[in-house]
């Protein structure tokens, strides 16, 4: 996630401010297609447009801050994942990245399945018409009520995360006279090269059952004995924002090793493996993500080679991309409120949102890009830190970025690649209202998640 500091670029040659910035881009007005959604461009006046609508109009109509989501881009990415894996694999969009009823409908229309990990996500999925059998239910501590709702609804699979849960789901399903299809989530002992908080397959963390020491094999042994369960496969998710495929390779080999042990011990070949999500996207021009078809080819080859070596039938593969589908589809549109140059350091640009609409910078030291979108500018690059309006000095949206030196209050700036884990992790810190999500397509814009109001906030405050 990190780029190295570069001495070029600061405004004062004798002082090199700390940070992760590279040299300023050659053209500050250019929009790198790697980090912006497909339909984003500038019109003849230099105003950025998306889905055929300019951002000034969007700001006027819907206010700022706002997440602006390119529906066409979402559909293109969802379709690319589905077609990349073809009919021999299933793509489950990870709803935690961003979920709304419109998104569920798009996924349904594009032939994807859905991974949910709470009662709330399940309710949204069902309300929006996702067929229950196309839903996978995740979580390391599902409540009894959530399990019951999922089983009653008839979800396609529940991913079991602990020994206790194996028994809970089995009993519940049995009491409802059902046999629930389940996968068992294992931790394969891989250290994914990503931030510690979003790496999930090393052993010392809360998810899954370790392969090490035979625990996962024991979990399968127990699950196979329970009438309420039909064990259909093994699940592994190694982390998030990963570019290097070698972690997936090791994970796939270890999961296939378990399938082989299960076959040898129980005479059963489990028909499915799920390799989770976690594929990285470009947040800045320095990131180089792979295309879905390359990922699909690499993963299917890894699995089939490992299965051939183990003399196993190749199981049906599923994957769970969240960020890789929705991340690049949206940008956050902000209005600049103040511009504060700190001599020899950098210029602090305050926007009308902040850590309440994007916690990722504060939480993971995530890097983002930013651009002036309400106009172009020929002014020189100025090293900036884009900060929010919260009472916290860590309230940073973009740590180091170059914006034109004539930036002024009232300008609109946008932070691309905020479709994943921004609205879904948004908060009401300082009683700031969460922004709307506005979907644009073919010259039309519509609110799919409305802006929070003070009434929304106060409704929960019952005195
Ligand atoms: N499947 C499972 C079991 C997961 O736990 C996750 C993410 C995914 C799929 C989707 O991962 P993706 O393809 O979106 O990377 N809040 C963090 C990310 C946490 C991810 C949690 N699990 C962030 O903002 O980077």
């Amino acid at each position: 996630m990190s780029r190295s500091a570069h001495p070029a670029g600061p405004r004062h040659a004798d002082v090199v401010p700390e940070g992760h910035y590279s040299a300023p881009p050659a053209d500050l007005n250019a929009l790198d297609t790697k980090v912006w959604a497909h339909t984003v461009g500038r019109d003849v006046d230099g105003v950025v447009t998306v889905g055929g609508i300019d951002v000034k109009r969007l700001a006027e109509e819907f206010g700022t801050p706002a997440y602006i989501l390119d529906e066409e881009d979402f559909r293109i990415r969802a379709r690319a994942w589905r077609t990349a894996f073809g009919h021999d694999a299933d793509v489950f969009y990870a709803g935690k990245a961003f979920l709304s009823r419109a998104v569920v409908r798009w996924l349904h229309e594009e032939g994807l399945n859905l991974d949910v990990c709470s009662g709330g996500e399940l309710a949204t999925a069902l309300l929006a018409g996702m067929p229950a059998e196309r839903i996978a239910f995740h979580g390391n501590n599902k409540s009894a009520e959530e399990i019951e709702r999922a089983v009653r609804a008839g979800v396609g699979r529940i991913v079991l995360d602990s020994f206790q849960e194996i028994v809970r789901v089995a009993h519940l399903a049995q009491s409802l006279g059902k046999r629930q299809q389940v996968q068992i989530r294992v931790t394969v002992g891989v250290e994914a090269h990503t931030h510690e908080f979003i790496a999930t397959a090393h052993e010392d963390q809360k998810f899954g059952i370790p392969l090490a020491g035979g625990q996962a094999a024991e979990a399968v042994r127990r699950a196979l004995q329970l009438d309420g369960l039909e064990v259909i496969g093994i699940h592994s998710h190694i982390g998030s924002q990963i570019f290097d495929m070698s972690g997936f390779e090791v994970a796939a080999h270890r999961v296939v090793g378990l399938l082989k042990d299960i076959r040898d011990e129980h005479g059963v070949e489990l028909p499915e493996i799920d390799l989770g999500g976690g594929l990285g996207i470009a947040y800045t021009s320095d990131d180089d993500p792979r295309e879905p078809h390359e990922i699909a080819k690499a993963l299917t080859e890894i699995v089939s080679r490992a299965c051939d070596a183990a003399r196993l039938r190749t199981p049906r593969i599923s994957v769970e991309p969240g960020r890789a589908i929705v991340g690049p589809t949206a940008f956050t549109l902000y209005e600049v409120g103040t511009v504060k140059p700190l001599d020899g350091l950098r210029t602090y640009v305050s926007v009308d949102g902040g850590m309440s609409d994007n916690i990722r910078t504060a939480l993971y030291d995530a890097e983002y890009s930013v651009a002036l979108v309400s106009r172009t500018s020929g002014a020189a690059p100025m090293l900036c830190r884009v900060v929010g309006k919260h009472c916290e000095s860590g309230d940073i949206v973009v740590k180091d970025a170059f914006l034109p030196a004539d930036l002024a209050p009232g300008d609109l700036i946008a932070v691309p690649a905020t479709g994943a884990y921004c609205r879904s992790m948004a908060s009401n810190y300082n009683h700031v209202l969460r922004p709307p999500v506005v979907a644009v397509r073919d010259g039309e814009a519509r609110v799919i998640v409305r802006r929070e109001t003070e009434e929304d906030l106060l409704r929960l405050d019952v005195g």
Side-chain angles (χ1 to χ4, degrees):
M1 271 195 176
S2 68
R3 289 174 288 155
S4 53
H6 193 291
R11 291 192 304 145
H12 304 274
D14 52 335
V15 187
V16 181
E18 270 179 51
H20 293 293
Y21 55 91
S22 313
D27 177 5
L28 275 184
N29 298 314
L31 300 168
D32 185 347
T33 53
K34 267 206 278 184
V35 295
W36 294 90
H38 282 99
T39 72
V40 171
R42 284 192 192 267
D43 67 15
V44 285
D45 299 319
V47 181
V48 166
T49 66
V50 53
I53 308 185
D54 80 64
V55 292
K56 284 175 150 174
R57 207 184 110 195
L58 289 168
E60 237 161 66
E61 199 170 331
F62 303 104
T64 55
Y67 303 102
I68 310 294
L69 194 157
D70 181 345
E71 179 182 341
E72 189 59 36
D73 189 69
F74 185 99
R75 288 177 181 273
I76 289 170
R77 289 179 202 275
R79 212 173 297 149
W81 275 91
R82 187 179 53 73
T83 51
F85 280 91
H87 295 294
D88 302 327
D90 298 302
V91 180
F92 285 76
Y93 168 80
K96 66 208 84 184
F98 172 63
L99 197 65
S100 78
R101 289 192 288 167
V103 162
V104 175
R105 286 195 299 272
W106 303 338
L107 291 166
H108 189 192
E109 283 163 18
E110 299 298 340
L112 276 76
N113 308 293
L114 181 61
D115 140 14
V116 300
C117 66
S118 70
E121 288 183 0
L122 178 62
T124 307
L126 293 172
L127 184 66
M130 181 58 83
E133 64 274 16
R134 283 171 50 189
I135 298 175
F137 194 47
H138 270 279
N140 67 303
N141 187 18
K142 307 167 189 77
S143 69
E145 198 230 331
E146 286 173 323
I147 295 170
E148 181 168 347
R149 279 168 81 187
V151 175
R152 277 190 192 279
V155 298
R157 65 171 76 147
I158 296 182
V159 182
L160 301 175
D161 196 272
S162 65
F163 282 92
Q164 286 92 349
E165 203 171 73
I166 290 171
V167 176
R168 277 180 205 148
V169 174
H171 285 172
L172 201 271
Q174 209 176 2
S175 72
L176 295 173
K178 293 200 174 200
R179 193 147 187 258
Q180 177 62 49
Q181 294 203 328
V182 296
Q183 290 187 341
I184 295 179
R185 177 161 175 181
V186 302
T187 40
V188 293
V190 170
E191 294 274 356
H193 299 289
T194 187
H195 190 282
E196 185 197 350
F197 293 173
I198 51 180
T200 58
H202 54 293
E203 269 133 25
D204 189 2
Q205 46 88 25
K206 71 171 185 165
F207 293 108
I209 302 174
L211 280 179
Q215 288 199 57
E218 175 60 18
V220 173
R221 205 170 287 134
R222 292 198 200 166
L224 284 172
Q225 284 165 4
L226 295 167
D227 290 338
L229 305 181
E230 180 188 349
V231 184
I232 57 167
I234 301 297
H235 184 286
S236 154
H237 170 78
I238 58 170
S240 253
Q241 187 57 4
I242 300 165
F243 293 112
D244 181 357
M245 295 300 284
S246 60
F248 288 99
E249 179 150 14
V250 177
H253 275 281
R254 294 189 182 163
V255 169
V256 170
L258 177 62
L259 292 183
K260 180 176 175 298
D261 293 347
I262 295 167
R263 192 258 330 260
D264 294 347
E265 183 180 339
H266 307 281
V268 184
E269 290 200 24
L270 297 184
E272 292 184 13
I273 70 172
D274 190 313
L275 293 172
L279 286 315
I281 62 164
Y283 284 102
T284 74
S285 299
D286 292 350
D287 295 326
D288 284 306
R290 299 208 190 183
E291 293 296 323
H293 67 89
E294 293 174 279
I295 294 163
K297 186 164 180 285
L299 289 182
T300 45
E301 277 175 13
I302 290 166
V303 172
S304 63
R305 265 202 311 271
C307 289
D308 287 350
R311 296 182 196 287
L312 280 169
R313 266 195 308 276
T314 303
R316 189 172 178 84
I317 299 174
S318 47
V319 288
E320 298 171 339
R323 184 192 324 261
I325 293 177
V326 74
T329 67
F331 58 81
T332 315
L333 186 61
Y334 298 105
E335 186 177 300
V336 173
T338 67
V339 178
K340 192 186 283 182
L342 295 188
D343 231 13
L345 292 171
R346 72 194 89 237
T347 296
Y348 278 77
V349 176
S350 293
V351 294
D352 46 359
M355 65 194 298
S356 54
D357 59 71
N358 186 350
I359 190 66
R360 298 194 67 261
T361 308
L363 198 53
Y364 313 120
D365 213 8
E367 288 182 13
Y368 282 93
S369 354
V370 60
L372 170 61
V373 290
S374 48
R375 62 184 173 93
T376 50
S377 165
M382 150 174 95
L383 180 63
C384 293
R385 180 158 287 174
V386 179
V387 295
K389 59 181 285 164
H390 296 275
C391 293
E392 183 134 344
S393 52
D395 173 24
I396 297 168
V397 180
V398 186
K399 205 165 177 191
D400 299 291
F402 289 91
L403 283 164
D406 63 353
L407 192 77
D411 278 333
L412 297 175
I413 62 175
V415 175
T418 57
Y421 304 109
C422 286
R423 179 60 180 79
S424 67
M425 297 206 297
S427 76
N428 288 125
Y429 183 38
N430 297 137
H431 281 203
V432 167
L433 306 169
R434 285 178 294 179
V437 182
V438 179
V440 291
R441 189 186 188 190
D442 297 334
E444 275 179 35
R446 72 190 172 95
V447 174
I448 59 170
V449 178
R450 74 160 166 77
R451 184 183 301 283
E452 225 163 14
T453 61
E454 280 179 10
E455 281 108 75
D456 291 330
L457 273 186
L458 293 171
R459 199 171 316 142
L460 301 180
D461 185 337
V462 291

